[in-house]
Amino acid sequence: MSLTAEATTSVKATAQAVLEFVLDLERYRTVDRKISKVSSVVPADAEGNGSVKIWGRLGWLPPAPDRQDFHLDRWTKLTFVGAPRQPARLVFDFVGTFDCTQKSDGSTDVRHAYNFTFKGPFRIMERFLRSWLQREIDSEVQAMAKVVESSALAESGP
C-alpha cells in the first residue's frame, strides 16, 4: 500500500522554465510548504543526475532531514527519489515526479505526483496524511504556475 497524490496544471511558459524553477529548490520551497530548508544541492550533471539535502515535513510532524537523488530528462521529466541509507528510509520510500508536455502554443502541461510507501507500523500514517497531501499538491502546482508565469512574463518584457 502507498500514499499517492497528483495534480495537473497548464503553465504559460516553456517546460524548461518550469523544470528550472523546480530545480532552483530555494525558490521552489516558496511554493512547496513541505520543504522547510534546503541544506545543499548537487546540480544535475551531464546525464541529468543530481541530489539535494532538505529538511522536509509531512502533515503535523516536525521537519526532518532527508537526501533525495534526482534525474532530469531535459526538458520533459524530473524525478526525485529518496536516497538510500538515509534515516527517512526506515520510515518511508519516496518518489516525486514532474512530467511536462510542451504544447504548440508555448505553454506546458505539468503533471506533478508524489508516492510515499510507508514501512511497517508507519503505514498507519497514510490514512492521516492522504487528504492533507492532496491539498498540499493542489496548492503547490497552482502556486508554481503563478510564479513561473510571472517570471516568464517579466523576462519577455512589455
Side-chain angles (χ1 to χ4, degrees):
M1 191 92 182
S2 64
L3 173 59
T4 301
E6 69 176 65
T8 59
T9 191
S10 184
V11 182
K12 294 178 181 131
T14 65
Q16 182 174 349
V18 170
L19 295 176
E20 284 178 344
F21 173 69
V22 176
L23 285 170
D24 184 349
L25 287 154
E26 277 297 335
R27 282 187 67 212
Y28 192 76
R29 74 185 203 92
T30 65
V31 302
D32 185 348
R33 297 178 292 205
K34 295 176 301 307
I35 302 172
S36 298
K37 178 182 174 184
V38 178
S39 299
S40 67
V41 177
V42 175
D45 61 17
E47 288 80 38
N49 299 310
S51 68
V52 59
K53 290 182 183 177
I54 64 166
W55 283 76
R57 70 172 188 84
L58 291 175
W60 67 95
L61 300 171
D66 195 14
R67 192 182 102 224
Q68 297 173 5
D69 296 328
F70 65 82
H71 179 75
L72 173 65
D73 291 317
R74 289 181 175 88
W75 295 103
T76 58
K77 185 171 187 168
L78 177 60
T79 303
F80 290 88
V81 177
R85 296 181 299 283
Q86 299 296 305
R89 298 300 79 76
L90 298 171
V91 178
F92 63 85
D93 288 324
F94 169 79
V95 177
T97 58
F98 292 83
D99 290 289
C100 294
T101 304
Q102 187 74 52
K103 296 177 8 184
S104 60
D105 67 359
S107 66
T108 302
D109 287 337
V110 181
R111 178 185 167 275
H112 180 28
Y114 291 120
N115 182 275
F116 291 87
T117 304
F118 289 91
K119 299 177 179 180
F122 300 106
R123 283 189 214 121
I124 194 157
M125 294 173 64
E126 291 176 13
R127 76 174 72 156
F128 299 110
L129 293 173
R130 190 168 311 282
S131 62
W132 171 83
L133 186 61
Q134 188 60 54
R135 285 190 308 273
E136 285 295 308
I137 199 168
D138 288 340
S139 172
E140 185 181 330
V141 297
Q142 294 310 311
M144 174 193 65
K146 287 179 184 174
V147 171
V148 172
E149 287 173 357
S150 66
S151 295
L153 187 60
E155 289 174 6
S156 66

